[in-house]
Amino acid sequence: MALDSKIPHGEMKDKWEDYKGHVKLVNPANKRKLEVIVIGTGLAGASAAASLGEMGYKVKAFCFQDSPRRAHSIAAQGGINAAKNYQNDGDSVFRLFYDTVKGGDYRAREGNVHRLAEVSAAIIDQCVAQGVPFAREYGGLLSNRSFGGTQVQRTFYAAGQTGQQLLLGAYSALERQVALGTVKMYSRHEMLDVVVIDGKARGVIVRDLVSGKLERHFGHAVLLCSGGYGNVFYLSTNAMGSNVTAAWKAHKRGAYFGNPCFTQIHPTCIPVSGDHQSKLTLMSESLRNDGRIWVPKQKGDTRKASDIPENERDYYLERRYPAFGNLVPRDVASRAAKERCDEGYGVGTTKMAVYLDFKDAIMRYGKTEAGKTGHESADDKTIFELGKKVVEEKYGNLFEMYEKITGENPYEMPMRIYPAVHYTMGGLWVDYELQTTVPGLYALGEANFSDHGANRLGASALMQGLADGYFVIPYTLGNYLADEIRTTAISTDHPAFVETEKAVNDRINKLMSIKGKQSVESFHKRLGKIMWDKCGMARNAKGLQSAINEIRNLRNEFWSDVRVPGDINEFNPELDKAGRVADFLELGELMCMDALNRNESCGGHFREESQTEDGEAKRDDANFSYVAAWESKGEGWEMHKEPLTFEIVKPTQRSYK
C-alpha cells in the first residue's frame, strides 16, 4: 500500500489555512447522528472529546483510570511551547517550526510541524480562557522560560506542574460536555481491540476493569489518544499503568506502526537507586535553565560536591557546546552524561549520576533581589536566602519532590541526575489528517508517530497533544465523517463485533489457563533490562540481533510459564497487566528490528557504528530520510517507507556548539 501523507499542496505557510478553507463539513443536525469513540483522556483525548462534544457529535470517552484527571499528562512538569514572542527575543512561527525540525534531527514531516507551530499560539489563549494559572511576570504578562534546543524563551509554565494544570483545563471542558450529555464517560474501561467492518474502524471491544466483563461499542470513527509506550523498558518516567495495548491492537488490525525505535531519553531524572524500583521520577528540564551540570575533573572523586572547588569541576556541556551550554536538546545532554559516567567521572553511590547545581543561580537571583531593595552590601548568607526565595517560587515543588525521594536538600547540595526513558516519538503512522492506515481510525498525541522526528524538544509534547485535540481533529475528522452521514449505527450484534469479542475473550482465557510459576512483573522486568541494555541510549547491530532472539525466547517462556492469580470476572489488576506485558513482548521485538534496520544515528536513536569523530549522532540522509512504517503480517512485519522531503529546512549536521 502506498503511503499517502495527504500534505496539501502550495506554500508551507498557506497549507493549513488552505486545507481548512476547502475541507468537507458536517452540518449540525447530522453531527448529532454521528458517534465518535475516544480512547484515552489525557491532553489529546480530553481536548478532542471536549471539542467534538462541543461541536455536537455523540462522543464516548474511555479511560482505564478511575478519573480522566489521572491521565499521565498530569506528570508533565516544565511547560508548553508557543510562538508568541512575548519576550521580544526574535521568536516566530517559522523559528518554532525550524527548531522542531532541527531538534528532531530532520526525521519529521515539514507540513505537520509547520501546522503545529501555527496553532501553538492559539493553545495558550484557549488555556488562559479556561483558567489555567500560567506563571506571570510582575506586571501581569505571561512569563516564559527557555528549554533545550532553542535560543529563545517560548515555554509557558505553571510552576513545575504545567501538565496537571493544562489537564485540569481540558478536564473541565470535558466534564462540561459530560454534563450537557454530548460526551458519555467510561472510566475504569480498557480498550482491548478495534472492530473493523468492510475495511473501516467501526467500534471497539473494551473490558470493564471492575467487573471484568467485555463490552462492545459502535462508533463511526475511533480516536486513539492512549499515550506512549516507554514502559516497554520497565523503568521509565511513565506512570506504571501507561502501556501500548490500544495502539498495538490497532496495529494488529492493520494500522502501520511508524518509527518504533525512536525513543527519547530524558537527561534529568533521579538516578536508579536499586533493584526495588518500579518507576523513575523526572526532574523537569526547566531546571537546566538555572542549574549547571558538572562532574568532578578527577575520576572516582568521592568528596562531597560542596567540598570540590570550582577549578576541579568539569561543566562539560558548557565546555562542549558553548552556544547552547546546559540547554542543548535532550538527546545530546543524555549522551554527554552517559559518556562522562562511562569514562569513570560519575558521582553518587552507583557512580551513574552527574550533578545539577543551583548555587550560581541562587546567588545571581539573590544579588538582583538585594539590588532591588537597596542592599548592595548584603553578605553572602543574606544574598543566598533572597535568591533561594526566587528559585523556590519558580521550581519549589520540584525541589520538594527531590528532597522527599532522596532525603537531600537541593538548595544546599547539588541534585544528582541521570538519563532515563521518557517519551516515545514512534507510534501509529498517521497522515496529515491524523488518520492511520485504517480508514476511520485516528491517532492523536503521543500515540501517533509524532511531529517530533527522532527527538522531542522539551515542552513540545503538551503542545502536540493539545494542538491535535483542540485545533486539528475538529477539522480533519469532519472531512471523513461528511461521507458517513448515511451510515446508520451498526448493531453490536454484527458478526465482526461477535468475532472480535471472541478473540479478546480467548486470549484472556489463555492467559489465565497457563498457571505457570513466574509473575507478570518478573517478565516485564527482564524485558526492560534487555531493551535498556541493547536498545537504550546506545545501540549496535550485534546487541540488537541478540536482543531480538532474547525477546522471542522470553515471549515463549511467558506464554508457557506466567502465573496470573485471581479470576476473570472480577477486579484483577494482575490480569490487566499480563495483557499489557504480552503486548510489550511483541512491541520490543519490532523496536529492535526497526533500530537494526535504521543503520544511522539520528536524535534519540544512536547507533554506535554511526557517529562523528567527537561522538555526535551521524545521520545518513541518502539512505534513511524516510519514516519506517511497519505493517503487521501475522507472525512478522513488512516495512513500508514514506520518503521525507525538505522544501524549507535543509538537513545539515546538527550542531549546538
Side-chain angles (χ1 to χ4, degrees), residues 295-349:
V295 290
K297 280 186 178 171
Q298 66 180 51
K299 292 186 182 185
D301 197 325
T302 53
R303 289 176 291 176
K304 271 171 44 181
S306 49
D307 294 340
I308 299 175
E310 194 66 22
N311 63 349
E312 292 180 38
R313 300 177 175 194
D314 176 18
Y315 294 94
Y316 59 88
L317 290 177
E318 296 169 35
R319 168 171 59 78
R320 285 178 63 177
Y321 309 102
F324 282 73
N326 294 298
L327 285 173
V328 290
R330 292 176 177 178
D331 59 322
V332 177
S334 294
R335 277 197 297 277
K338 178 181 189 292
E339 184 272 334
R340 288 291 79 190
C341 292
D342 289 351
E343 288 296 315
Y345 295 96
V347 300
T349 45

Side-chain angles (χ1 to χ4, degrees), residues 260-469:
C261 78
F262 285 170
T263 308
Q264 176 164 72
I265 313 288
H266 197 296
T268 50
C269 286
I270 298 178
V272 177
S273 59
D275 291 338
H276 58 283
Q277 265 175 290
S278 50
K279 84 174 290 297
L280 297 171
T281 305
L282 181 67
M283 286 286 104
S284 166
E285 182 181 333
S286 61
L287 296 173
R288 289 200 275 147
N289 257 302
D290 285 318
R292 297 179 71 196
I293 293 172
W294 63 275
V295 290
K297 280 186 178 171
Q298 66 180 51
K299 292 186 182 185
D301 197 325
T302 53
R303 289 176 291 176
K304 271 171 44 181
S306 49
D307 294 340
I308 299 175
E310 194 66 22
N311 63 349
E312 292 180 38
R313 300 177 175 194
D314 176 18
Y315 294 94
Y316 59 88
L317 290 177
E318 296 169 35
R319 168 171 59 78
R320 285 178 63 177
Y321 309 102
F324 282 73
N326 294 298
L327 285 173
V328 290
R330 292 176 177 178
D331 59 322
V332 177
S334 294
R335 277 197 297 277
K338 178 181 189 292
E339 184 272 334
R340 288 291 79 190
C341 292
D342 289 351
E343 288 296 315
Y345 295 96
V347 300
T349 45
T350 60
K351 297 297 178 202
M352 293 306 274
V354 298
Y355 288 127
L356 178 60
D357 196 333
F358 286 87
K359 182 143 189 251
D360 287 359
I362 290 172
M363 297 305 282
R364 187 177 74 246
Y365 285 127
K367 282 176 186 154
T368 306
E369 291 302 298
K372 280 184 195 171
T373 51
H375 287 81
E376 277 87 351
S377 55
D379 61 7
D380 281 359
K381 188 166 182 262
T382 309
I383 287 172
F384 184 85
E385 286 306 316
L386 288 168
K388 188 177 156 187
K389 281 199 181 82
V390 178
V391 169
E392 214 168 319
E393 205 174 298
K394 290 179 88 166
Y395 310 111
N397 62 318
L398 298 169
F399 279 58
E400 280 168 34
M401 205 155 72
Y402 182 87
E403 189 166 4
K404 271 196 180 129
I405 291 168
T406 64
E408 291 176 7
N409 178 346
Y411 294 105
E412 314 277 327
M413 290 289 286
M415 288 181 178
R416 288 196 313 276
I417 54 163
Y418 192 71
V421 171
H422 184 49
Y423 184 93
T424 49
M425 284 79 61
L428 295 177
W429 182 92
V430 293
D431 59 23
Y432 190 72
E433 299 185 319
L434 305 183
Q435 189 168 229
T436 66
T437 46
V438 176
L441 181 66
Y442 292 77
L444 283 67
E446 195 180 352
N448 71 32
F449 83 110
S450 86
D451 302 342
H452 312 301
N455 170 56
R456 178 170 75 75
L457 289 183
S460 61
L462 305 185
M463 173 174 64
Q464 190 213 340
L466 291 179
D468 287 356

Side-chain angles (χ1 to χ4, degrees), residues 33 47 71 82 97 104 127 297 307 336 351 372 395 442 487 503 516 539 545 554 574 591 599 617 619 630 636 647:
K33 300 175 197 163
S47 59
F97 157 70
C127 295
K297 280 186 178 171
D307 294 340
K351 297 297 178 202
K372 280 184 195 171
Y395 310 111
Y442 292 77
T487 306
R539 300 134 186 221
Q545 277 155 347
L554 187 63
E574 280 301 298
M591 286 172 74
N599 200 3
R619 287 194 327 275
W630 296 84
E647 299 167 29

Side-chain angles (χ1 to χ4, degrees), residues 8-10 14-26 432-433 475-476 478-480 482-483:
H9 298 295
D14 301 327
K15 287 182 192 291
W16 179 233
E17 211 48 49
D18 225 36
Y19 174 90
K20 290 191 294 184
H22 295 90
V23 75
K24 291 178 196 162
L25 300 175
V26 180
Y432 190 72
E433 299 185 319
Y475 287 96
T476 63
N479 201 36
Y480 171 78
D483 297 330

Side-chain angles (χ1 to χ4, degrees), residues 455-530:
N455 170 56
R456 178 170 75 75
L457 289 183
S460 61
L462 305 185
M463 173 174 64
Q464 190 213 340
L466 291 179
D468 287 356
Y470 283 138
F471 298 109
V472 178
I473 203 70
Y475 287 96
T476 63
L477 185 63
N479 201 36
Y480 171 78
L481 291 178
D483 297 330
E484 296 295 325
I485 54 176
R486 288 186 181 80
T487 306
T488 50
I490 297 169
S491 164
T492 51
D493 293 332
H494 186 286
F497 275 95
V498 178
E499 278 164 34
T500 311
E501 185 185 318
K502 184 181 181 299
V504 171
N505 205 20
D506 289 350
R507 189 172 191 253
I508 290 171
N509 281 311
K510 189 177 174 190
L511 280 168
M512 294 300 294
S513 67
I514 298 166
K515 301 199 185 316
K517 294 185 177 59
Q518 301 181 62
S519 69
V520 175
E521 195 81 352
S522 65
F523 282 104
H524 194 182
K525 228 173 187 172
R526 283 162 67 192
L527 171 66
K529 182 152 176 46
I530 297 168

Side-chain angles (χ1 to χ4, degrees), residues 41 45-47 49-50 59 61 68 169-179 183 185:
T41 54
S47 59
V59 180
Y171 170 74
S172 56
L174 172 64
E175 286 303 306
R176 178 169 177 267
Q177 296 308 315
V178 171
V183 177
M185 189 67 227

